[in-house]
Amino acid sequence: MESTINIENVVASTKLAEEFDLIKIESELEGAEYNKEKFPGLVYRVKAPRAAFLIFTSGKVVCTGAKNVEDVRTVITNMAQTLKSIGFEDVNLSPEIHVQNIVASADLKTDLNLNAIALGLGLENIEYEPEQFPGLVYRIKVPKVVVLIFSSGKLVVTGGKSPEECEEGVKIVRAQLENLGLL
């Protein structure tokens, strides 16, 4: 039985210009929030596809909240066009986009014994302190992802740069638990 991942969040960054006047952007875009004393960037949320932007005076932009990589490309392209339409002539309309992190979830659809898993996977690869956090933290070297394993059989994968890396992290956990007779 293959587990499939659900992407919960994609975080990506890009550079849309050499600089931005955040006060101008805040005045032109409805719902934009900029308070330099609280945070050095402007926060702007879009609804379709749903995402949030952090826009900085340096021209750098962080996009978060998208549910897939294609949506990231769509909303960043739309954001660039929006910025151009409000007077930022030097906006890059086809910027290089870097996925920084993907958070995904999966379900092994069975209860798990985290104490046995902690011993089986080896204490050098895991963190498990049930008094502090109810999940087991498993760091995988290749691909470089972290998998949170919960006794309910639910998994959270973070640190992946692509959906395939997240899927591979789940496959590794599944295979290792099967090899240990714990699945």
Side-chain angles (χ1 to χ4, degrees), residues 35-150:
N35 182 340
K36 196 161 83 176
E37 280 69 47
K38 281 188 177 175
F39 183 71
L42 176 142
V43 178
Y44 183 64
R45 292 172 182 82
V46 294
K47 289 190 172 68
R50 194 172 149 175
F53 290 95
L54 304 176
I55 303 172
F56 299 93
T57 54
S58 65
K60 291 185 177 169
V61 174
V62 175
C63 173
T64 185
K67 296 289 188 185
N68 61 60
V69 177
E70 296 74 33
D71 282 358
V72 167
R73 292 187 202 296
T74 301
V75 294
I76 288 176
T77 301
N78 292 350
M79 184 79 243
Q81 289 167 339
T82 299
L83 291 168
K84 192 168 184 77
S85 77
I86 62 170
F88 292 93
E89 293 301 319
D90 296 331
V91 170
N92 183 351
L93 295 178
S94 55
E96 196 173 317
I97 297 168
H98 303 278
V99 173
Q100 302 294 338
N101 182 31
I102 294 177
V103 177
S105 62
D107 190 350
L108 298 176
K109 295 186 171 37
T110 185
D111 288 346
L112 301 171
N113 178 340
L114 297 185
N115 288 316
I117 292 170
L119 295 171
L121 291 178
L123 298 176
E124 64 279 353
N125 300 317
I126 64 108
E127 293 170 39
Y128 181 49
E129 296 181 46
E131 311 80 34
Q132 301 290 319
F133 181 70
L136 183 148
V137 180
Y138 182 32
R139 296 180 192 284
I140 299 173
K141 290 184 176 64
V142 179
K144 190 171 190 262
V145 296
V146 175
V147 182
L148 307 179
I149 305 172
F150 295 92

